[in-house]
């Protein structure tokens, strides 16, 4: 029976035939609304003229281009171990692609559990460091698998700005909540404290005593305690904050994979660079020696002695040169261990750790090794020292414990740096030479050696939180700031920080608790930083990043877009 007859009500139709006809009407409407007939006709016409060997693969590719853009379906977090054997969080992104949910990629971001420890000590909680880290990981997993998963569902993974805005807003809400709780706890503690009784005034000295004291000379060794600006409270680390940075990085990696482009090119596109724009390789800063507070010996000042190659050298060439220098240093130490510094092993940063008594010893050691290899310090290779001075201040005495038993005032430390720079011209940078509170000394040091030695800030330039609207400390003479991708730092945060430091040196550095994720090398190239500080050459978590840096440089050279070395 014709459809015309059916619609006019003539003839008999079974229920099944009626339902089938209605279904065909709905199908025709659905396919018509989506122009399926026209698209099928176009696909078949093109396939006929192309005559592909794999007709099904040809049609699959044709229609895949017409499919909807992928959207985030869920975020999933799980526990993994970082390079120091501590628990951390991995964030995995799932997307709906061609009507199927697929796992795209995952990312791990470090969290400074030492800062968590400092925060707990400041609040008097007395929670062990490992337990504090595990608690932070549990909170991060909850954030990822619950609120963040719901929040990001249905979002376009290529819209990094929108994703990071949601992540930063979420974090700031938790940060303020955590701050309110801390303030309430402090108020409650103050209320519980009983007021201490005021001490009774001492009895007035007798006249005889006054006369005796007049003829008594004050001990010349007794010096008044120096006035010292108290340190700022430690940077507040919100438990679970690594969830924000991990999800942001995972989304960026997802977008790069979906667009079939390397992560470094995707990051550079977020900076506004064109696809074929030349990209500059960051200069690697490689830690050779560690002789800070954690190492044996009296010397505390030099937390890291860092090799900085001269301009115009390829990453592979630089790493080979530094490995050769490292072996020469080991050889010298093994020969002179009876009289000189003691070779202990590897530090947490993957560098040689030894015991030294004076700041000249490690610098003399590197100078000797360089001369043996025919390397000219100050030309092919320069040195930088991470002083980490904020860890050395003895507050009761108001002096830096530069060497055990040899405290120095801030002004004396200025003189020592000037002397070291005069004696070792190859010393091209000092990182955190003072606490950030010693503004006068930052200015004095910059005026004395600032033209030939870069003064850089790491811990001294920290903000309360990376998403904070508060400006970073403006220290006089600082030519560059070390940036880190950790905790609540999003990709957009890093992009904004790079814009803020336009005109100065930019250094991207590894953080405490790195995992075997090579994304930091891509981030450094994409962000266009001047230097990349990855630590020593030992350890899988660092080797993956150095290897990735070499691969990126080779890719750029092959494509003809390797920019001139900065």
């Amino acid at each position: 029976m014709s459809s015309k007859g059916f619609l006019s009500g003539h003839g008999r139709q079974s229920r099944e035939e009626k339902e089938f006809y209605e279904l065909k009407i709905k199908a025709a409407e659905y396919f018509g609304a989506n122009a399926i007939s026209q698209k099928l006709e176009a696909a078949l016409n093109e396939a006929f003229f192309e005559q592909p060997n794999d007709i099904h693969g040809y049609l699959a590719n044709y229609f895949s281009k017409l499919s909807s853009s992928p959207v985030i379906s869920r975020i999933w977090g799980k526990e993994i171990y970082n390079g120091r054997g501590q628990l951390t969080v991995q964030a995995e992104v799932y997307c709906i692609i061609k009507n199927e949910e697929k796992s795209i990629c995952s990312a791990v971001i470090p969290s400074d559990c030492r800062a968590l420890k400092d925060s707990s000590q400041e609040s008097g909680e007395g929670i062990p460091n490992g337990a504090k880290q595990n608690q932070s990981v549990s909170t991060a997993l909850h954030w990822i698998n619950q609120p963040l998963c719901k929040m990001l569902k249905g979002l376009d993974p290529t819209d990094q700005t929108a994703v990071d805005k949601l992540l930063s807003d979420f974090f700031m809400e938790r940060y303020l909540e955590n701050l309110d709780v801390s303030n309430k706890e402090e108020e409650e503690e103050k209320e519980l404290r009983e007021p201490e009784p005021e001490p009774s005034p001492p009895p007035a000295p007798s006249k005889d005593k006054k006369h005796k004291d007049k003829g008594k000379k004050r001990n010349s060794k007794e010096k008044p305690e120096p006035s010292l600006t108290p340190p700022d409270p430690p940077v507040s680390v919100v438990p679970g904050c690594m969830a924000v940075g991990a999800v942001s990085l995972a989304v960026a990696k997802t977008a790069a994979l979906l667009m079939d482009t390397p992560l470094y090119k995707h990051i550079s596109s977020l900076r506004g660079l064109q696809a074929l724009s030349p990209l500059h390789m960051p200069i690697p800063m490689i830690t050779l020696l560690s002789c800070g507070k954690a190492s044996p010996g009296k010397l505390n000042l030099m937390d890291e002695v860092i090799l900085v190659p001269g301009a115009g050298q390829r990453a592979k060439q630089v790493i080979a040169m530094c490995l050769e220098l490292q072996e020469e240093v080991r050889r010298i130490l093994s020969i002179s261990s009876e009289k000189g510094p003691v070779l202990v092993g590897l530090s947490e940063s993957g560098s040689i750790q030894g015991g030294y008594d004076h700041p000249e010893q490690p610098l003399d050691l590197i100078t000797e090794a360089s001369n043996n290899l025919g390397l000219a310090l100050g030309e092919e290779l320069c040195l930088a020292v991470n002083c980490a001075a904020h860890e050395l201040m003895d507050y009761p005495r108001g002096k830096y414990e530069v060497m055990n038993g040899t405290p120095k005032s801030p002004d004396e430390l200025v003189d020592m740096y000037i002397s070291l720079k005069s004696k070792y011209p190859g010393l091209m940078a000092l990182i955190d030479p003072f606490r950030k509170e010693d503004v006068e000394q930052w200015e004095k040091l910059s005026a004395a050696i600032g033209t030939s030695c870069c003064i850089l800030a790491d811990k001294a330039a920290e903000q309360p939180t990376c998403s904070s609207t508060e400006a970073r400390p403006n220290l006089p003479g600082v030519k560059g700031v070390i940036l880190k991708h950790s905790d609540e730092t999003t990709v957009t945060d890093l992009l904004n920080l790079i814009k803020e430091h336009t005109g100065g040196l930019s250094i991207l550095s590894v953080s405490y608790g790195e995992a075997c994720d090579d994304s930091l090398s891509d981030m450094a190239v994409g962000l266009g930083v001047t230097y990349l500080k990855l630590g020593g050459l030992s350890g899988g978590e660092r080797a993956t990043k150095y290897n990735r840096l070499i691969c990126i440089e080779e890719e750029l050279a092959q494509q003809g877009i390797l920019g001139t070395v900065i």
Side-chain angles (χ1 to χ4, degrees):
M1 183 178 178
S2 68
S3 60
K4 185 177 180 182
F6 177 80
L7 292 173
S8 62
H10 299 295
R12 295 181 179 180
Q13 287 288 322
S14 67
R15 181 178 178 182
E16 290 78 8
E17 289 176 326
K18 182 179 179 181
E19 289 177 350
F20 181 65
Y21 177 78
E22 290 175 349
L23 189 62
K24 287 200 297 183
I25 294 296
K26 290 179 180 178
E29 291 175 352
Y30 173 74
F31 291 128
N34 290 281
I36 297 300
S37 299
Q38 296 89 330
K39 291 173 183 175
L40 279 171
E41 183 179 359
L44 294 174
N45 288 337
E46 287 191 21
F48 175 74
F49 288 108
E50 292 286 340
Q51 296 286 311
N53 293 328
D54 182 4
I55 180 64
H56 299 97
Y58 180 88
L59 292 174
N61 291 335
Y62 182 92
F63 283 106
S64 67
K65 297 173 184 177
L66 302 176
S67 62
S68 299
S69 299
V71 294
I72 297 173
S73 57
R74 63 188 171 106
I75 311 290
W76 186 250
K78 64 179 180 180
E79 294 178 349
I80 66 166
Y81 289 95
N82 64 20
R84 287 178 169 79
Q86 300 162 335
L87 280 177
T88 188
V89 170
Q90 181 184 68
E92 189 172 6
V93 178
Y94 289 77
C95 289
I96 298 295
I97 302 176
K98 301 180 182 70
N99 293 318
E100 292 183 3
E101 184 180 67
K102 296 182 179 180
S103 170
I104 307 302
C105 75
S106 60
V108 184
I109 201 165
S111 179
D112 195 343
C113 64
R114 295 174 300 177
L116 285 167
K117 180 180 179 182
D118 292 342
S119 299
S120 65
Q121 289 176 345
E122 184 73 14
S123 60
E125 294 174 12
I127 300 175
N129 194 23
K132 194 75 176 175
Q133 175 73 358
N134 293 346
Q135 177 188 345
S136 182
V137 168
S138 298
T139 303
L141 289 176
H142 170 72
W143 285 6
I144 294 172
N145 297 334
Q146 295 296 325
L148 293 181
C149 181
K150 295 175 182 177
M151 187 185 302
L152 300 184
K153 185 176 181 179
L155 288 185
D156 178 1
T158 64
D159 191 350
Q160 190 73 39
T161 303
V163 170
D164 286 347
K165 177 67 166 61
L166 289 173
L167 291 173
S168 295
D169 290 346
F170 171 85
F171 172 75
M172 284 307 297
E173 289 177 7
R174 301 305 179 276
Y175 173 74
L176 294 174
E177 288 173 5
N178 189 71
L179 196 61
D180 289 340
V181 171
S182 299
N183 291 338
K184 287 179 182 178
E185 289 176 352
E186 288 180 6
E187 290 176 2
E188 290 174 359
E189 287 180 6
K190 287 180 182 179
E191 291 176 359
L192 291 174
R193 291 175 192 157
E194 294 182 1
E196 297 181 2
E198 295 182 5
S200 56
S206 63
K207 292 182 179 180
D208 294 338
K209 177 71 175 174
K210 285 182 180 179
H211 289 302
K212 287 179 182 179
D213 286 345
K214 281 183 181 179
K216 192 175 181 179
K217 292 184 179 179
R218 181 175 292 179
N219 189 346
S220 59
K221 292 184 180 180
E222 294 178 3
K223 295 182 179 179
E225 292 185 3
S227 59
L228 191 69
T229 305
D232 290 341
V235 174
S236 178
V237 178
V238 179
C241 60
M242 75 274 279
V244 174
V247 171
S248 176
L249 179 58
V251 170
K253 292 174 70 175
T254 296
L257 285 170
L258 293 175
M259 294 187 292
D260 194 24
T261 187
L263 178 59
Y264 65 88
K265 286 190 177 180
H266 174 55
I267 298 299
S268 68
S269 70
L270 295 177
R271 289 173 55 211
L273 297 184
Q274 298 298 320
L276 297 178
S277 298
L279 293 176
H280 302 277
M281 291 297 297
I283 298 173
M285 300 177 73
I286 301 174
T287 305
L288 179 62
L289 295 176
S290 176
C291 34
K293 290 183 70 176
S295 62
K298 295 181 180 180
L299 181 62
N300 298 323
L301 180 67
M302 297 181 174
D303 192 53
E304 295 177 287
V305 182
I306 304 164
L307 304 176
V308 185
Q313 303 179 67
R314 292 287 188 91
K316 192 171 184 178
Q317 175 188 356
V318 166
I319 292 170
M321 178 178 62
C322 292
L323 278 171
E324 189 178 6
L325 184 60
Q326 180 176 276
E327 288 305 309
E328 180 62 18
V329 166
R330 288 180 182 277
R331 188 190 69 80
I332 295 172
L333 287 175
S334 64
I335 293 173
S336 59
S337 59
E338 295 181 1
K339 299 180 180 179
V342 180
L343 177 62
V344 175
L346 292 176
S347 68
E348 289 185 339
S349 64
S351 60
I352 298 172
Q353 189 174 52
Y356 307 89
D357 294 334
H358 302 285
E360 291 82 5
Q361 284 180 302
L363 300 178
D364 286 338
L365 173 63
I366 296 175
T367 301
E368 180 184 351
S370 300
N371 291 337
N372 292 347
L373 297 175
L375 297 174
L377 279 180
E379 297 177 12
E380 295 173 89
L381 202 62
C382 293
L383 299 178
V385 173
N386 183 5
C387 307
H390 56 282
E391 298 180 358
L392 307 180
M393 176 55 72
D394 183 346
Y395 284 94
R397 288 190 289 181
K399 293 188 175 184
Y400 291 96
E401 193 75 15
V402 174
M403 294 163 281
N404 292 341
T406 311
K408 290 186 178 292
S409 68
D411 283 333
E412 289 173 335
L413 197 53
V414 171
D415 295 335
M416 193 191 80
Y417 290 137
I418 295 172
S419 174
L420 286 175
K421 174 58 185 172
S422 175
K423 191 172 181 180
Y424 304 95
L427 182 61
M428 60 82 69
L430 294 172
I431 303 171
D432 282 352
F434 308 100
R435 303 178 311 140
K436 63 182 175 183
E437 292 82 8
D438 294 330
V439 177
E440 183 181 346
Q441 283 70 35
W442 286 86
E443 191 169 7
K444 285 181 179 179
L445 184 63
S446 175
I449 63 174
T451 56
S452 59
C453 184
C454 295
I455 313 298
L456 306 174
D458 183 2
K459 286 285 185 181
E462 279 188 340
Q463 288 174 296
T465 69
C466 196
S467 300
S468 174
T469 55
E470 295 182 36
R472 288 173 177 261
N474 186 19
L475 296 169
V478 170
K479 292 184 179 178
V481 173
I482 294 177
L483 309 175
K484 295 177 182 177
H485 194 190
S486 64
D487 295 321
E488 74 278 2
T489 309
T490 65
V491 172
T492 302
D493 288 331
L494 283 175
L495 289 165
N496 292 334
L497 288 170
I498 291 297
K499 289 179 183 177
E500 288 178 16
H501 293 95
T502 302
L505 297 178
S506 54
I507 304 100
L508 188 62
S509 172
V510 292
S511 302
Y512 184 90
E514 280 285 335
C516 289
D517 188 317
D518 60 10
S519 304
L520 194 70
S521 296
D522 284 77
M523 294 294 296
V525 176
L527 291 168
V529 297
T530 316
Y531 295 98
L532 177 59
K533 182 174 174 288
L534 293 177
L537 292 171
S538 301
E541 66 272 23
R542 287 171 291 276
T544 55
K545 296 174 179 62
Y546 282 117
N547 287 332
R548 178 59 182 155
L549 199 65
I550 293 172
C551 289
I552 293 173
E553 188 173 57
E554 290 174 348
E555 286 177 15
L556 294 177
Q558 290 171 2
Q559 296 166 20
I561 55 173
L562 178 60
T564 306
V565 179
I566 298 173

